[in-house]
């Protein structure tokens, strides 16, 4: 694996989500941390990234802890969570993909005599990754993509008339999908510093009483494949900090930011190298 290739960590919760992403990787090798944490590292054809793929299991707190560990270990430029979710909007159907413009943590609040007082938390997605996603899906006729907020919490929603469903409609009305790990990953990426982060979810059910039937029909496999395809397309568009392919002036070649500053990150040198112009 080239040492100068920037790293992106792709997180999944379920084996089928992992398999959907893994099918796009080549030159795979397994890495094991001293504490036993494992990733599979590989290449993505047509993209400048080294991809570290992890299957974390379910739950927000578990995801936050392991994402923090992976960031400290692998020092990635970007973190993506890729998997399946339930739809919260009638117009967003099974097989569609929701690219999270922000991720809500939906269970925080205070219970009082006047009812439950919501204390919302939200993490915005990386603008660079959202822009890459908007560009990528324009050429994906097989994907219906939606750029919307995603609700995240330790609950699997299988009843559209439940208390949590009403809670979401009242307090997180713009959320288009619900899942159980995105807020943990987004929070860890936020605390990790200047990381690009994005949650990409394929819709496998409508978060209602038909969830079991939808899952049995193979909808999770379809949703996972669609989400993985979008994630791969995003990484083929997104160049990362210091990668070749453009400059602040719109030219070709390395990342040149103007003046006498040329950024050599991702090459032999790490960090900006300042030079002096002399004549031509």
């Amino acid at each position: 694996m080239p040492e100068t290739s920037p790293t992106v960590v792709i997180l999944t919760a379920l084996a089928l989500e992992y398999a959907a992403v893994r099918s796009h990787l080549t030159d795979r090798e397994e890495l094991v941390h001293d504490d036993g944490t494992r990733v599979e590292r590989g290449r993505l054809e047509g993209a400048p990234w080294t991809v570290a793929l992890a299957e974390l299991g379910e739950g927000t707190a578990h995801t936050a802890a392991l994402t923090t560990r992976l960031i400290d270990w692998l020092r990635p430029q970007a973190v993506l969570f890729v998997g399946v979710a339930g739809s919260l909007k009638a117009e967003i159907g099974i097989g569609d993909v929701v690219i999270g413009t922000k991720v809500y943590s939906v269970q925080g609040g205070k219970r009082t005599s006047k009812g439950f007082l919501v204390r919302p938390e939200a993490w915005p997605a990386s603008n660079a990754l959202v822009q890459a996603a908007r560009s990528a899906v324009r050429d994906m006729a097989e994907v219906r993509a939606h750029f919307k907020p995603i609700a995240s919490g330790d609950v699997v929603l299988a009843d559209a008339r439940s208390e949590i469903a009403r809670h979401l409609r009242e307090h997180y009305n713009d959320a288009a999908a619900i899942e159980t790990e995105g807020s943990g990953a987004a929070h860890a990426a936020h605390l990790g510093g200047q990381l690009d982060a994005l949650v990409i979810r394929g819709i496998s059910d409508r978060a209602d009483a038909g969830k079991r039937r939808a899952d049995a029909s193979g909808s999770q496999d379809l949703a996972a494949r669609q989400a993985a395809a979008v994630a791969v397309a995003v990484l083929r568009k997104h160049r990362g900090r210091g990668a070749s392919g453009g400059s602040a002036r719109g030219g070709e070649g390395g990342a040149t930011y103007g003046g006498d500053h040329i950024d050599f990150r991702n090459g032999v040198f790490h960090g900006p190298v300042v030079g002096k112009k002399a004549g031509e």
Side-chain angles (χ1 to χ4, degrees):
M1 220 53 73
E3 293 300 322
T4 58
S5 178
T7 296
V8 56
V9 170
I10 299 184
L11 308 171
T12 64
L14 306 176
L16 62 89
E17 298 167 343
Y18 185 98
V21 177
R22 187 177 190 260
S23 68
H24 293 276
L25 302 182
T26 61
D27 303 325
R28 297 188 303 267
E29 59 178 340
E30 188 172 63
L31 305 181
V32 185
H33 192 273
D34 291 342
D35 64 11
T37 303
R38 293 172 183 262
V39 300
E40 199 166 13
R41 186 170 67 176
R43 301 288 300 166
L44 181 61
E45 185 178 351
W49 299 95
T50 295
V51 177
L53 177 61
E55 181 185 342
L56 304 184
E58 300 173 65
T60 55
H62 183 72
T63 296
L66 285 180
T67 301
T68 299
R69 186 170 298 172
L70 290 169
I71 291 170
D72 289 343
W73 174 25
L74 300 170
R75 301 294 181 183
Q77 282 195 16
V79 174
L80 273 63
F81 204 106
V82 180
V84 304
S87 173
L88 295 175
K89 300 294 184 184
E91 66 273 18
I92 299 178
I94 291 173
D96 288 7
V97 176
V98 177
I99 294 100
T101 53
K102 58 184 169 182
V103 179
Y104 290 123
S105 177
V106 299
Q107 292 174 293
K110 182 179 181 181
R111 181 70 64 181
T112 72
S113 59
K114 296 181 180 179
F116 187 73
L117 305 181
V118 175
R119 293 178 175 176
E121 284 190 284
W123 295 271
S126 156
N127 175 64
L129 285 174
V130 171
Q131 289 295 311
R134 291 187 188 279
S135 176
V137 299
R138 292 185 190 120
D139 296 321
M140 301 180 74
E142 71 282 9
V143 173
R144 289 188 66 219
H146 309 268
F147 290 82
K148 298 286 185 182
I150 291 174
S152 182
D154 285 313
V155 58
V156 176
L157 184 56
D159 183 357
R161 295 173 298 200
S162 63
E163 181 180 351
I164 185 65
R166 291 192 295 271
H167 174 77
L168 292 172
R169 286 192 294 269
E170 182 176 351
H171 299 291
Y172 303 93
N173 188 256
D174 59 344
I178 182 167
E179 42 93 319
T180 56
E181 295 85 26
S183 62
H187 194 180
H190 170 73
L191 295 177
Q194 295 182 347
L195 278 172
D196 290 319
L198 188 65
V199 177
I200 300 172
R201 292 285 183 169
I203 297 301
S204 61
D205 61 79
R206 292 189 173 276
D208 60 13
K211 174 175 171 51
R212 184 187 296 271
R213 185 169 60 254
D215 290 350
S217 73
S219 63
Q220 285 193 329
D221 287 315
L222 169 63
R225 290 196 304 270
Q226 293 288 80
V230 170
V232 166
V234 169
L235 292 177
R236 286 179 175 144
K237 288 283 186 177
H238 182 57
R239 310 312 292 178
R241 297 185 298 277
S244 63
S247 73
R249 296 172 180 165
E252 297 297 325
T256 303
Y257 292 97
D260 56 3
H261 291 73
I262 302 175
D263 192 340
F264 284 99
R265 282 173 296 182
N266 226 23
V268 177
F269 300 99
H270 297 276
V273 178
V274 180
K276 181 178 180 181
K277 291 181 178 178
E280 294 298 320

